Amino acid sequence: MTIKAVLFDFSGTLFRIESTESWLRAVLDERELALSADEFTRAAEGLEAAGALPGGSTHQVNVPEHLAELVAVRDVDASRHRAAYTGLARQVPLPDERLYDALYDRHMTPAAWRPYPDAREVLAGLRERGVPVAVVSNIGWDPRPVFAGHGLDAFVDAYVLSYRHGVTKPDPRLFAAACEELGVAPGDALMVGDDRHADGGAAELGCAVHFVDHLPAEARPDGLRPVLGLI
C-alpha cells in the first residue's frame, strides 16, 4: 500500500491541551480573581472530575442525567459544544458566573494548547515529500487559529471538523470527506489518532490507521515520528 495522504486527529494527537490547573489559573488571573490555595485545589479537582476541560483527561466521567443527551451530541455543532462543556463546568462552584464561559473561551486559544514535540518535524517532513495533510476532528470549534498560533498552519491542507459536517468519528463520512478534499482514494490514506474507537472508524472506509497514545506532551516526545517511516 502506497500512502498518498495523511489524516490527523487534533487533540491528543498533534496537540495537547493544558492542564486543568493551568486552565483555571489563566482565567482567574485574567480577571484578577483570587482563590485560596484550598479553594483553588478543590475547584481544579472538581473541574477535572467533571470532565469540564475539552480535550482533557480521557478518564470516564459520570455525566449528570440532565446533561447526558447534550454531551452525547456535543461535537455536532458549536452551540451544543459550548453548552455541554459550560454545563459540566457549572457543577463546580466558582466565584463569578462569567467564569464558565471564560473557561470555555480560554480552551480555544493557542495559549491553551501545546504541539507534541515531534509534530512540526513530522508535518514538515510530509510537506517536503509532497504528501497532503488533513486534520479530522470531533470538535465544536475551528482549531485553525491554534495551528496558526504555533506556526503549523502552513503544513495542513484541509480541516474536516465534525461540527461543520454534523457527524462525528467513527462515522466513515467524515474520513471520506477528508479524502475527497485531498483528492485521494481512502485506500491511499493513513489516519493517525489517539482514539481506537473514533479514529479507528477510518479502517471501515479502507484507510490505513496508526494510533498514538493520549499522553501529556512531555511524556510523548516522538510518538508521531513513526508516521514518516510509513510513507
Side-chain angles (χ1 to χ4, degrees):
M1 176 182 181
T2 300
I3 301 298
K4 298 180 180 178
V6 182
L7 319 179
F8 285 98
D9 174 51
F10 167 53
S11 175
T13 300
L14 289 173
F15 282 84
R16 173 76 179 197
I17 190 69
E18 66 186 331
S19 69
T20 305
E21 293 80 7
S22 172
W23 178 53
L24 176 59
R25 176 64 66 198
V27 171
L28 290 172
D29 288 349
E30 184 178 281
R31 280 151 185 78
E32 299 182 342
L33 293 171
L35 297 176
S36 71
D38 286 345
E39 289 172 332
F40 180 86
T41 297
R42 284 196 298 271
E45 289 178 349
L47 291 167
E48 177 80 12
L53 174 58
S57 173
T58 58
H59 72 270
Q60 196 69 25
V61 174
N62 292 320
V63 177
E65 186 176 346
H66 72 282
L67 290 175
E69 184 176 346
L70 181 61
V71 169
V73 296
R74 65 190 182 276
D75 292 323
V76 299
D77 69 50
S79 61
R80 293 182 193 182
H81 195 268
R82 177 182 285 272
Y85 281 105
T86 54
L88 291 170
R90 281 188 170 90
Q91 296 179 89
V92 180
L94 293 175
D96 188 326
E97 170 65 23
R98 292 171 294 181
L99 287 172
Y100 300 107
D101 276 309
L103 284 167
Y104 185 86
D105 292 339
R106 162 74 185 183
H107 104 275
M108 295 187 289
T109 65
W113 294 89
R114 178 180 172 188
Y116 278 92
D118 54 348
R120 176 177 294 276
E121 172 192 342
V122 171
L123 291 173
L126 293 173
R127 178 52 54 98
E128 289 172 3
R129 299 181 192 191
V131 177
V133 164
V135 170
V136 185
S137 180
N138 284 352
I139 197 169
W141 51 280
D142 191 343
R144 282 179 288 188
V146 173
F147 282 81
H150 290 278
L152 298 182
D153 54 318
F155 303 124
V156 180
D157 301 283
Y159 294 83
V160 178
L161 311 172
S162 62
Y163 82 102
R164 288 187 167 172
H165 289 261
V167 295
T168 58
K169 298 179 294 185
D171 193 310
R173 288 177 288 177
L174 217 55
F175 307 108
C179 291
E180 183 176 351
E181 287 207 35
L182 297 183
V184 300
D188 294 327
L190 170 67
M191 176 67 206
V192 182
D194 66 297
D195 188 318
R196 267 64 176 170
H197 173 65
D199 299 313
E204 182 180 336
L205 199 64
C207 300
V209 180
H210 176 73
F211 294 113
V212 295
D213 294 322
H214 187 108
L215 294 170
E218 63 275 9
R220 209 195 75 197
D222 54 6
L224 292 168
R225 198 163 291 140
V227 172
L228 293 176
L230 299 174
I231 304 301

